[in-house]
Amino acid sequence: MCGIVGAAAGRDIVPVLVEGLRRLEYRGYDSAGIAVLNGAAHPALERVRAAGRVAELADRIRAQSVHSGTGIAHTRWATHGAPTEANAHPHVSGALAVVHNGIIENHAALRARLKEAGFVFKSETDTEVIGHLVSHHRAASEDLLEAAVKAVAELEGAFAIALVSADDPGTVVVARKGAPLLLGLGDGENFAASDVSALVQVTRRVVYLEDGDCAEIRSDRVRIVDSAGRPIERAVHLSDVNADAVDLGPYRHYMQKEIFEQPGALANTLEIVGGVASLQPGLFGAEAEALLRDAPLVQIVACGTSFHAGLVAAYWIESLARIPVRVDIASEFRYRDVAIDPRALVVTISQSGETADTLAAIEYAKSLGCDRTLTICNVPESSLLRASRLRFLTRAGPEIGVASTKAFTTQLSALYLLALVLAGLKGKLSVDEQKRQLGALRHLPAALQHVLSVEDAVARWAKRFAVKQHALFLGRGVHYPIAMEGALKLKEISYIHAEAYAAGELKHGPLALVDREMPVVAVAPGDALLEKLKSNLQEVRARGGELFVFADKNSGIEPSEGVNVITLSDHAGPLSPILHVVPLQLLAYHAALARGTDVDKPRNLAKSVTVE
């Protein structure tokens, strides 16, 4: 949620700030703004804001001919206050401007105190508290960095902030606690951003700030201090994200691009086992063998699409390793009075590694004595990875579209590796079976490439979905979570109400919804439950429902009146969910296209949810 960019340079950085916001728009896009310092001798603060998209802000900036070497910018996903220009960031306090991601939990108490001190509030946001608080401390501080350190010590919650002040020319100050923020190092210019994708246009040298860090950015230097104001050093990393990775190329939308990047993303993620003859626990960290070998339970915690990946993993781990698995939505787990064996392996899954509920859940698990923690994530140096003893970094590359696609399939591949490693440690996987499984994994990118060839057929179906208001998705066994993921994708970007059910539950309620206006999507792999599924599909047809079936070859399900079938490929065994989810992603994408919705930026949603 929300994106920050800041820069200090010896050149005009306004184009850099605006381009950075464009690249961060997936994090929030209901309003945007910029604040810069103008004038060398007597700097003045200049602010431009707009409700709506970054493009509207860019038009205003051009109209006002804004130029500067120092500034901050922000694109917002509203939490406190409606998405209006008055609530858009930056917010000002005298000569100072602030942008902010996250939530200030004690904003009400701070607001009351600052009002008593004479500060006037003009917005509904919690962010304005930060600006006034820093201004209050700046009056008795040597510089803006010192004032920020004092202010941050009083703030409660998860946040990242960036500040500029006319009293501190040529300087941007940033701070983070629980929300992502990094520095970008250039030649004679330095930057800050919520995500490295905002800075690939200017630098690939980045410094990941730790919780509690504050930093002063000037064109010729960067100074970092800890929460007590003591100077500290943080490592410089060379990011592997490049400009091509975040450009659309020939695709109409990022979601379409990312769907078609999945074979490559899987190949990159599985490269770690590309040349090995056997699977080693060290895939998940140096301590993995000791922590995994005698784990009596696997507790998976995640949100949204990552939660669905966890549900699939439960089938795999229990089947292959014979270890019980419990899967919880992070926002429920963290507030549940959990009874758990402290020897349990706690697995957190997240695309961004900054999901607030999942971060809180892992800390809750630790408070219960569970110190065997593993995170599967797509972002290096993320908070979740740093919070876990074991880790697996998926290599999906930047995912810009709000609806997750390639992050999901790479998470599944990582979870399948985990199931195999656990099975090996438990003595449930023979040498020959391990070789067979490795061969199937290596074939996965090619199989996925073949599945993508159904796009045109799916697009024709999607035109028929576009006029519907509701849809039902069915799956059985390990494909039930895939049906759930398909329904979520359709809801997210086309705004068609969709629900998923285990097909065996039809007669227990959902069948009452079925009529000729309710399309029913079925995931029909050629597995042991296929004949059971066929019986469920007959129940739909008997009530006049129209079926849209994604089937494996030789499934025996043929097109007929009211039964539409797209044939995918030979059955891929336990890896089938990774293949079957792709046409469901395409169905959602093309239904959204047909309905004219904003595919990459669906209403009310943002990519990285760093608040509850």
Short mmCIF file of all heavy atoms in Angstrom, two decimals, residues 389-430:
data_model
loop_
_atom_site.label_atom_id
_atom_site.label_comp_id
_atom_site.label_asym_id
_atom_site.label_seq_id
_atom_site.Cartn_x
_atom_site.Cartn_y
_atom_site.Cartn_z
N ARG A 389 14.29 -18.09 10.36
CA ARG A 389 15.57 -18.81 10.42
C ARG A 389 15.87 -19.51 9.09
O ARG A 389 17.03 -19.62 8.69
CB ARG A 389 15.54 -19.84 11.55
CG ARG A 389 15.48 -19.21 12.93
CD ARG A 389 15.39 -20.25 14.02
NE ARG A 389 16.64 -21.01 14.16
CZ ARG A 389 16.81 -21.99 15.05
NH1 ARG A 389 15.81 -22.33 15.86
NH2 ARG A 389 17.96 -22.64 15.13
N LEU A 390 14.83 -19.99 8.43
CA LEU A 390 14.98 -20.64 7.13
C LEU A 390 14.28 -19.80 6.08
O LEU A 390 13.32 -19.10 6.37
CB LEU A 390 14.39 -22.05 7.15
CG LEU A 390 14.92 -23.01 8.22
CD1 LEU A 390 14.22 -24.35 8.12
CD2 LEU A 390 16.42 -23.18 8.11
N ARG A 391 14.73 -19.92 4.84
CA ARG A 391 14.13 -19.09 3.79
C ARG A 391 14.27 -19.74 2.44
O ARG A 391 15.19 -20.55 2.20
CB ARG A 391 14.80 -17.71 3.76
CG ARG A 391 16.31 -17.78 3.51
CD ARG A 391 16.95 -16.41 3.49
NE ARG A 391 16.83 -15.72 4.76
CZ ARG A 391 17.20 -14.45 4.94
NH1 ARG A 391 17.71 -13.76 3.94
NH2 ARG A 391 17.07 -13.88 6.12
N PHE A 392 13.34 -19.42 1.56
CA PHE A 392 13.45 -19.81 0.15
C PHE A 392 13.01 -18.62 -0.67
O PHE A 392 11.87 -18.16 -0.55
CB PHE A 392 12.60 -21.03 -0.18
CG PHE A 392 12.87 -21.57 -1.56
CD1 PHE A 392 13.74 -22.64 -1.74
CD2 PHE A 392 12.29 -21.00 -2.69
CE1 PHE A 392 14.01 -23.14 -3.01
CE2 PHE A 392 12.54 -21.48 -3.96
CZ PHE A 392 13.41 -22.56 -4.12
N LEU A 393 13.91 -18.12 -1.49
CA LEU A 393 13.62 -16.95 -2.32
C LEU A 393 13.16 -17.43 -3.70
O LEU A 393 13.93 -18.02 -4.45
CB LEU A 393 14.85 -16.07 -2.45
CG LEU A 393 14.70 -14.77 -3.25
CD1 LEU A 393 13.75 -13.82 -2.54
CD2 LEU A 393 16.05 -14.12 -3.47
N THR A 394 11.89 -17.20 -4.01
CA THR A 394 11.42 -17.49 -5.36
C THR A 394 12.01 -16.45 -6.32
O THR A 394 12.36 -15.35 -5.91
CB THR A 394 9.89 -17.46 -5.44
OG1 THR A 394 9.42 -16.17 -5.03
CG2 THR A 394 9.27 -18.52 -4.54
N ARG A 395 12.11 -16.81 -7.55
CA ARG A 395 12.76 -15.91 -8.52
C ARG A 395 11.77 -15.57 -9.63
O ARG A 395 12.02 -15.77 -10.81
CB ARG A 395 14.03 -16.56 -9.07
CG ARG A 395 15.09 -16.76 -7.97
CD ARG A 395 16.30 -17.48 -8.48
NE ARG A 395 16.96 -16.73 -9.55
CZ ARG A 395 17.90 -17.25 -10.34
NH1 ARG A 395 18.28 -18.50 -10.19
NH2 ARG A 395 18.46 -16.52 -11.29
N ALA A 396 10.63 -15.04 -9.21
CA ALA A 396 9.60 -14.65 -10.16
C ALA A 396 9.93 -13.34 -10.85
O ALA A 396 9.36 -13.01 -11.88
CB ALA A 396 8.25 -14.55 -9.46
N GLY A 397 10.82 -12.54 -10.25
CA GLY A 397 11.05 -11.19 -10.76
C GLY A 397 9.95 -10.26 -10.30
O GLY A 397 8.99 -10.67 -9.65
N PRO A 398 10.07 -8.98 -10.62
CA PRO A 398 9.06 -8.01 -10.17
C PRO A 398 7.66 -8.38 -10.66
O PRO A 398 7.48 -8.74 -11.83
CB PRO A 398 9.53 -6.69 -10.82
CG PRO A 398 10.97 -6.89 -11.12
CD PRO A 398 11.13 -8.34 -11.43
N GLU A 399 6.70 -8.31 -9.77
CA GLU A 399 5.30 -8.55 -10.13
C GLU A 399 4.55 -7.25 -9.90
O GLU A 399 4.37 -6.83 -8.76
CB GLU A 399 4.71 -9.69 -9.32
CG GLU A 399 3.35 -10.13 -9.85
CD GLU A 399 2.77 -11.29 -9.06
OE1 GLU A 399 2.48 -11.11 -7.87
OE2 GLU A 399 2.61 -12.38 -9.65
N ILE A 400 4.12 -6.62 -10.98
CA ILE A 400 3.52 -5.29 -10.93
C ILE A 400 2.00 -5.35 -10.85
O ILE A 400 1.37 -4.58 -10.14
CB ILE A 400 3.95 -4.45 -12.15
CG1 ILE A 400 5.48 -4.42 -12.29
CG2 ILE A 400 3.39 -3.04 -12.06
CD1 ILE A 400 6.21 -3.85 -11.10
N GLY A 401 1.40 -6.26 -11.62
CA GLY A 401 -0.06 -6.39 -11.58
C GLY A 401 -0.52 -6.72 -10.17
O GLY A 401 0.08 -7.54 -9.48
N VAL A 402 -1.60 -6.08 -9.75
CA VAL A 402 -2.10 -6.30 -8.39
C VAL A 402 -2.53 -7.75 -8.19
O VAL A 402 -2.28 -8.33 -7.14
CB VAL A 402 -3.26 -5.32 -8.09
CG1 VAL A 402 -4.01 -5.75 -6.84
CG2 VAL A 402 -2.71 -3.91 -7.90
N ALA A 403 -3.17 -8.35 -9.19
CA ALA A 403 -3.58 -9.75 -9.08
C ALA A 403 -2.37 -10.65 -9.30
O ALA A 403 -1.80 -10.69 -10.38
CB ALA A 403 -4.67 -10.05 -10.10
N SER A 404 -1.98 -11.38 -8.28
CA SER A 404 -0.76 -12.19 -8.34
C SER A 404 -0.92 -13.38 -9.27
O SER A 404 -1.93 -14.08 -9.25
CB SER A 404 -0.39 -12.68 -6.94
OG SER A 404 0.80 -13.41 -6.96
N THR A 405 0.10 -13.63 -10.09
CA THR A 405 0.09 -14.76 -11.02
C THR A 405 1.40 -15.54 -10.90
O THR A 405 1.44 -16.61 -10.32
CB THR A 405 -0.11 -14.27 -12.46
OG1 THR A 405 0.85 -13.23 -12.76
CG2 THR A 405 -1.51 -13.71 -12.65
N LYS A 406 2.49 -14.96 -11.41
CA LYS A 406 3.76 -15.71 -11.40
C LYS A 406 4.30 -15.88 -9.98
O LYS A 406 5.01 -16.86 -9.71
CB LYS A 406 4.78 -15.05 -12.31
CG LYS A 406 5.19 -13.63 -11.93
CD LYS A 406 6.25 -13.10 -12.89
CE LYS A 406 6.66 -11.67 -12.54
NZ LYS A 406 7.79 -11.20 -13.35
N ALA A 407 3.97 -14.98 -9.07
CA ALA A 407 4.39 -15.19 -7.68
C ALA A 407 3.73 -16.45 -7.13
O ALA A 407 4.34 -17.21 -6.37
CB ALA A 407 4.03 -13.98 -6.83
N PHE A 408 2.47 -16.69 -7.50
CA PHE A 408 1.73 -17.85 -7.01
C PHE A 408 2.34 -19.15 -7.52
O PHE A 408 2.61 -20.08 -6.73
CB PHE A 408 0.27 -17.74 -7.45
CG PHE A 408 -0.59 -18.91 -7.04
CD1 PHE A 408 -0.87 -19.14 -5.71
CD2 PHE A 408 -1.14 -19.76 -7.98
CE1 PHE A 408 -1.69 -20.21 -5.32
CE2 PHE A 408 -1.95 -20.82 -7.62
CZ PHE A 408 -2.23 -21.05 -6.27
N THR A 409 2.59 -19.26 -8.81
CA THR A 409 3.11 -20.51 -9.35
C THR A 409 4.53 -20.79 -8.86
O THR A 409 4.90 -21.95 -8.64
CB THR A 409 3.05 -20.53 -10.88
OG1 THR A 409 3.58 -19.31 -11.41
CG2 THR A 409 1.61 -20.68 -11.36
N THR A 410 5.33 -19.75 -8.67
CA THR A 410 6.67 -19.99 -8.12
C THR A 410 6.60 -20.36 -6.64
O THR A 410 7.42 -21.16 -6.17
CB THR A 410 7.59 -18.78 -8.33
OG1 THR A 410 6.97 -17.59 -7.81
CG2 THR A 410 7.89 -18.57 -9.81
N GLN A 411 5.64 -19.81 -5.91
CA GLN A 411 5.43 -20.24 -4.52
C GLN A 411 5.09 -21.73 -4.48
O GLN A 411 5.60 -22.48 -3.64
CB GLN A 411 4.31 -19.44 -3.87
CG GLN A 411 4.66 -18.02 -3.49
CD GLN A 411 3.44 -17.21 -3.08
OE1 GLN A 411 2.31 -17.69 -3.17
NE2 GLN A 411 3.65 -15.98 -2.66
N LEU A 412 4.21 -22.15 -5.39
CA LEU A 412 3.83 -23.56 -5.44
C LEU A 412 5.04 -24.44 -5.72
O LEU A 412 5.20 -25.50 -5.10
CB LEU A 412 2.75 -23.79 -6.50
CG LEU A 412 1.35 -23.25 -6.19
CD1 LEU A 412 0.41 -23.50 -7.36
CD2 LEU A 412 0.78 -23.88 -4.93
N SER A 413 5.90 -24.03 -6.63
CA SER A 413 7.08 -24.84 -6.93
C SER A 413 7.99 -24.95 -5.71
O SER A 413 8.55 -26.02 -5.42
CB SER A 413 7.84 -24.27 -8.12
OG SER A 413 8.44 -23.02 -7.82
N ALA A 414 8.13 -23.85 -4.96
CA ALA A 414 8.95 -23.88 -3.75
C ALA A 414 8.32 -24.79 -2.69
O ALA A 414 9.02 -25.54 -2.00
CB ALA A 414 9.11 -22.46 -3.20
N LEU A 415 7.02 -24.75 -2.56
CA LEU A 415 6.33 -25.57 -1.57
C LEU A 415 6.40 -27.05 -1.95
O LEU A 415 6.46 -27.92 -1.06
CB LEU A 415 4.87 -25.11 -1.44
CG LEU A 415 4.71 -23.76 -0.74
CD1 LEU A 415 3.34 -23.16 -1.04
CD2 LEU A 415 4.91 -23.91 0.77
N TYR A 416 6.40 -27.34 -3.24
CA TYR A 416 6.55 -28.74 -3.66
C TYR A 416 7.96 -29.24 -3.31
O TYR A 416 8.12 -30.38 -2.85
CB TYR A 416 6.28 -28.89 -5.15
CG TYR A 416 6.04 -30.33 -5.55
CD1 TYR A 416 4.86 -30.97 -5.22
CD2 TYR A 416 7.01 -31.06 -6.23
CE1 TYR A 416 4.63 -32.30 -5.56
CE2 TYR A 416 6.79 -32.39 -6.58
CZ TYR A 416 5.60 -33.00 -6.24
OH TYR A 416 5.38 -34.32 -6.57
N LEU A 417 8.96 -28.40 -3.51
CA LEU A 417 10.31 -28.76 -3.09
C LEU A 417 10.36 -29.04 -1.59
O LEU A 417 11.01 -29.98 -1.14
CB LEU A 417 11.30 -27.64 -3.44
CG LEU A 417 11.67 -27.47 -4.91
CD1 LEU A 417 12.54 -26.22 -5.09
CD2 LEU A 417 12.41 -28.69 -5.44
N LEU A 418 9.66 -28.19 -0.81
CA LEU A 418 9.62 -28.40 0.63
C LEU A 418 8.98 -29.75 0.96
O LEU A 418 9.48 -30.49 1.83
CB LEU A 418 8.84 -27.27 1.31
CG LEU A 418 8.64 -27.41 2.82
CD1 LEU A 418 9.97 -27.41 3.56
CD2 LEU A 418 7.73 -26.30 3.35
N ALA A 419 7.89 -30.08 0.27
CA ALA A 419 7.23 -31.37 0.52
C ALA A 419 8.18 -32.53 0.22
O ALA A 419 8.24 -33.52 0.97
CB ALA A 419 5.97 -31.48 -0.34
N LEU A 420 8.95 -32.42 -0.86
CA LEU A 420 9.89 -33.48 -1.22
C LEU A 420 11.02 -33.58 -0.20
O LEU A 420 11.44 -34.70 0.17
CB LEU A 420 10.45 -33.22 -2.62
CG LEU A 420 9.46 -33.32 -3.78
CD1 LEU A 420 10.15 -32.95 -5.09
CD2 LEU A 420 8.87 -34.72 -3.88
N VAL A 421 11.55 -32.45 0.24
CA VAL A 421 12.63 -32.47 1.23
C VAL A 421 12.14 -33.09 2.54
O VAL A 421 12.82 -33.93 3.15
CB VAL A 421 13.18 -31.04 1.46
CG1 VAL A 421 14.04 -30.98 2.71
CG2 VAL A 421 13.98 -30.59 0.25
N LEU A 422 10.96 -32.70 2.98
CA LEU A 422 10.40 -33.28 4.20
C LEU A 422 10.18 -34.79 4.05
O LEU A 422 10.47 -35.57 4.97
CB LEU A 422 9.08 -32.59 4.56
CG LEU A 422 9.19 -31.17 5.11
CD1 LEU A 422 7.82 -30.50 5.15
CD2 LEU A 422 9.81 -31.16 6.50
N ALA A 423 9.70 -35.19 2.88
CA ALA A 423 9.48 -36.61 2.63
C ALA A 423 10.80 -37.38 2.68
O ALA A 423 10.87 -38.49 3.23
CB ALA A 423 8.80 -36.81 1.28
N GLY A 424 11.86 -36.77 2.12
CA GLY A 424 13.16 -37.41 2.18
C GLY A 424 13.68 -37.56 3.59
O GLY A 424 14.19 -38.61 3.98
N LEU A 425 13.54 -36.51 4.39
CA LEU A 425 14.01 -36.55 5.77
C LEU A 425 13.21 -37.54 6.61
O LEU A 425 13.74 -38.11 7.59
CB LEU A 425 13.91 -35.15 6.40
CG LEU A 425 14.91 -34.11 5.89
CD1 LEU A 425 14.58 -32.74 6.43
CD2 LEU A 425 16.34 -34.51 6.28
N LYS A 426 11.95 -37.75 6.26
CA LYS A 426 11.11 -38.68 7.01
C LYS A 426 11.22 -40.12 6.47
O LYS A 426 10.51 -41.02 6.94
CB LYS A 426 9.64 -38.24 6.94
CG LYS A 426 9.37 -36.88 7.57
CD LYS A 426 9.56 -36.88 9.07
CE LYS A 426 9.19 -35.53 9.67
NZ LYS A 426 9.37 -35.51 11.14
N GLY A 427 12.08 -40.33 5.46
CA GLY A 427 12.25 -41.66 4.90
C GLY A 427 11.10 -42.12 4.05
O GLY A 427 10.88 -43.34 3.87
N LYS A 428 10.34 -41.19 3.49
CA LYS A 428 9.16 -41.53 2.69
C LYS A 428 9.41 -41.42 1.18
O LYS A 428 8.49 -41.62 0.40
CB LYS A 428 8.00 -40.60 3.06
CG LYS A 428 7.66 -40.55 4.54
CD LYS A 428 7.16 -41.87 5.05
CE LYS A 428 6.75 -41.78 6.52
NZ LYS A 428 6.33 -43.11 7.05
N LEU A 429 10.66 -41.12 0.78
CA LEU A 429 10.94 -40.87 -0.63
C LEU A 429 12.17 -41.69 -1.03
O LEU A 429 13.28 -41.42 -0.56
CB LEU A 429 11.20 -39.38 -0.86
CG LEU A 429 11.12 -38.85 -2.29
CD1 LEU A 429 9.70 -38.97 -2.83
CD2 LEU A 429 11.57 -37.39 -2.33
N SER A 430 11.96 -42.68 -1.89
CA SER A 430 13.08 -43.50 -2.34
C SER A 430 13.97 -42.72 -3.29
O SER A 430 13.58 -41.68 -3.83
CB SER A 430 12.55 -44.75 -3.04
OG SER A 430 11.94 -44.39 -4.27
#
